[in-house]
Amino acid sequence: MTTVGERLVQGLAARGVEVVFGIPGVHTVELYRGLAGSPIRHVTARHEQGAAFMADGYARVSGKPGVAFLITGPGLTNALTAMAQAKADSVPMLVITGVNRRDSLGAGLGHLHELPDQAGMVRALCPSFQVTAPERLGPVLDLAFAALTADRPGPVHIEVPTDVMPLPAPPLPPPAAQSLCLPDPALIAAALSRLGTARRPVILAGGGIRGAEAAVQALAERLDAPVVQTVNARGVMFGHALSVPASPSLEATRALIAGADTVLAIGTEIGPTDYDMYLRGGFPDVSGMIRIDCSAAQLARHAAGLCIRADAGAAIAALLAGVPPGQATREGADRAAKARQAARAELAQLDPAMPARLAMVEAMRDACPGAIIVGDSTQPVYAANLVYDHDRPHGWFNAATGYGALGFAPGAAVGAALAAPASPVICLIGDGGLQFSPGELRSAVDESLPITFVVWNNAGFREIAEAMTGAGTAVIGCSPSPLRLQAFAQACDLAFDSVPHDPAALRAALRQPHQGPRLIEIRAGDTGLSH
């Protein structure tokens, strides 16, 4: 007899799932039954939120859905924060949980892990599907994977009642084919007509350009268009003359956009955490833009002169077919260079300490070429989100935009390392954020992952303290005592180093050979620059 739990694992493997992140519990024993004989690797987190953050990091780097196995009730509620981060950043994440027996649902009988309406709670955030009987497993998997990949990606939930998990289940049919959203040729022709007369075009590139990086660069070159990249698009044009790896929240970037006669926005939701980080308004009028997005709902949220609902790669390929080579001049590169230079100068105007924080991030990139840097909400990440050019696509991401969940980086770094085992991974987190999820460092040890955990130690929630001071409010609650990081690293079986706030010292520490994970403390209050 093959059970529902075993068939579920088979169905995941058939859909290309190679890793699941989770913590087993008494309500998911039957879900785990099929894992031992499957090709799917299980990675044990220390907290359900960490497991879901691992799935997030895995999805961002691999391009495939990240999958988490969690228990009924608290396992799911613990993961909701990570699911909300994935929702905000359009990350495909499949969370599979148990739920109590079918005849107990909604009865309020006080069963272990009982919620009044588990699926209803999740549906406020994302799609949720229940496997109500063995024969429903295949259709539910198809619905879930369609929701993960069609339209705007994001989290999806499947729950399996504990009395359904052990039931005999028939073989699953082959997975349903997933279709690509192709652009309307008439709309492409209209876009080409407008782009053909543009003299000062600008491209706004968001995380939705994933998989189309080379095509975006080729289109920019033919149009002679500077490419402004949101945080989730950084690295798409590293070092390119047309690259503007600077936040649209900056006045320098906004001036470039305001001076454009045609704006082409691709795969970006135009959300405030990228486009108006300081909530001061004043973003240039782009209501006449050409906008490409796979989500009809996203296209409806902002006025545009022309909306093309399509997969970004398919739409860019169609545009490239209609833009002749050789029409570009050097004017676009000059505009991009001016914007880059002005953006870096603007950092010091915002905060005199920001250029030095950015220099620390650039030291990480230079010391570890091709590294994936996974960031938390911490001061050097904030600086780099404003202006920073990474040396590989999908190699710079963090939780300081979108939902803004502290404690994201350790788990996400584990997922990233498993998705790209040949790449160095750096987890950049503050001492405050580290205390949200310290246990996930042990998961990195268990899996022997070569992650470097870089802890920006300013002994508290310094960014919040500065905001309270700036608002004329007494600073309260911003000085949680930091971990004694050397002792903590020793307890986690991690190699340890401590460096001052000095790019040269950080580069030297990062270049030291190491096996498995390690921890490097940056003493943020100690500049070390006089030594």
Side-chain angles (χ1 to χ4, degrees):
M1 178 188 79
T2 304
T3 67
V4 169
E6 290 169 309
R7 293 290 188 206
L8 173 61
V9 172
Q10 293 173 6
L12 294 176
R15 288 162 175 82
V17 174
E18 298 174 328
V19 183
V20 298
F21 305 94
I23 301 175
V26 294
H27 280 184
T28 54
V29 168
E30 290 299 329
L31 290 183
Y32 275 74
R33 184 179 295 278
L35 278 177
S38 84
I40 296 176
R41 176 179 184 175
H42 181 273
V43 175
T44 304
R46 296 306 192 269
H47 189 279
E48 288 91 358
Q49 180 175 274
F53 281 146
M54 290 176 188
D56 180 303
Y58 180 88
R60 292 186 198 234
V61 173
S62 71
K64 300 187 295 185
V67 181
F69 270 17
L70 306 175
I71 64 166
T72 305
L76 178 59
T77 55
N78 282 341
L80 283 174
T81 292
M83 294 168 71
Q85 184 73 49
K87 174 77 171 179
D89 286 346
S90 303
V91 177
M93 175 194 297
L94 178 59
V95 175
I96 301 174
T97 74
V99 71
N100 284 313
R101 295 179 55 88
R102 289 169 291 178
D103 59 6
S104 74
L105 298 180
L109 300 175
H111 285 282
L112 180 67
H113 302 333
E114 183 177 2
L115 286 166
D117 183 0
Q118 179 172 282
M121 177 189 68
V122 178
R123 286 192 190 106
L125 175 66
C126 68
S128 178
F129 305 99
Q130 187 182 105
V131 180
T132 55
E135 61 273 14
R136 288 292 303 156
L137 177 59
V140 163
L141 284 172
D142 283 339
L143 287 169
F145 275 81
L148 284 165
T149 56
D151 202 79
R152 184 186 182 193
V156 175
H157 172 237
I158 294 175
E159 64 179 18
V160 187
T162 54
D163 61 325
V164 173
M165 294 179 195
L167 295 178
L172 295 176
Q178 303 297 322
S179 59
L180 194 66
C181 184
L182 300 176
D184 182 334
L187 296 177
I188 291 293
L192 288 170
S193 176
R194 295 179 58 172
L195 291 169
T197 61
R199 294 295 172 263
R200 298 182 311 281
V202 168
I203 296 173
L204 306 180
I209 64 170
R210 181 184 189 95
E213 295 83 8
V216 168
Q217 181 170 315
L219 182 62
E221 290 169 351
R222 292 193 189 181
L223 297 174
D224 197 31
V227 181
V228 175
Q229 299 139 57
T230 67
V231 169
N232 286 329
R234 297 289 173 82
V236 66
M237 295 180 67
F238 177 62
H240 196 284
L242 291 168
S243 178
V244 184
S247 170
S249 297
L250 295 174
E251 294 303 326
T253 315
R254 290 180 170 192
L256 172 70
I257 296 167
D261 58 2
T262 302
V263 173
L264 173 61
I266 309 173
T268 173
E269 68 173 347
I270 316 181
T273 56
D274 273 306
Y275 289 80
D276 194 14
M277 188 179 301
Y278 297 103
L279 301 176
R280 59 192 176 194
F283 188 75
D285 180 11
V286 293
S287 60
M289 66 182 160
I290 304 167
R291 192 169 182 211
I292 298 170
D293 201 280
C294 62
S295 169
Q298 283 295 339
L299 290 172
R301 290 186 177 120
H302 295 279
L306 179 63
C307 289
I308 302 174
R309 184 180 178 224
D311 170 78
I316 297 168
L319 290 174
L320 275 172
V323 179
Q327 71 176 50
T329 68
R330 287 289 308 170
E331 195 268 341
D334 293 340
R335 288 188 293 138
K338 181 179 177 181
R340 289 194 303 269
Q341 293 162 8
R344 289 187 75 94
E346 194 174 332
L347 277 186
Q349 299 168 19
L350 290 169
D351 184 339
M354 275 195 181
R357 294 169 187 165
L358 173 60
M360 297 298 279
V361 176
E362 292 177 331
M364 297 178 203
R365 177 197 63 199
D366 297 343
C368 302
I372 298 166
I373 303 180
V374 184
D376 215 75
S377 292
T378 192
Q379 287 177 321
V381 169
Y382 297 139
N385 277 352
L386 288 172
V387 184
Y388 172 65
D389 197 8
H390 198 61
D391 63 356
R392 62 176 285 172
H394 322 302
W396 169 263
F397 60 88
N398 54 76
T401 63
Y403 196 59
L406 269 170
F408 164 86
V414 169
L418 287 160
S423 299
V425 175
I426 298 172
C427 169
L428 175 56
I429 189 168
D431 62 285
L434 177 63
Q435 294 188 67
F436 276 59
S437 52
E440 306 317 330
L441 277 66
R442 285 300 307 180
S443 297
V445 172
D446 288 351
E447 301 296 324
S448 300
L449 300 175
I451 301 171
T452 299
F453 295 93
V454 176
V455 182
W456 178 262
N457 190 357
N458 57 21
F461 300 135
R462 187 69 58 83
E463 190 77 9
I464 305 304
E466 291 176 0
M468 296 176 83
T469 299
T473 300
V475 177
I476 298 173
C478 293
S479 300
S481 57
L483 294 167
R484 289 184 291 113
L485 289 174
Q486 184 169 6
F488 173 70
Q490 184 178 10
C492 291
D493 298 320
L494 298 171
F496 176 78
D497 200 354
S498 180
V499 300
H501 184 338
D502 175 15
L506 179 58
R507 280 193 295 269
L510 286 167
R511 287 171 176 159
Q512 291 296 316
H514 71 105
Q515 297 291 327
R518 60 178 171 172
L519 190 152
I520 298 175
E521 172 193 33
I522 299 174
R523 303 188 300 275
D526 177 3
T527 64
L529 297 178
S530 62
H531 300 297

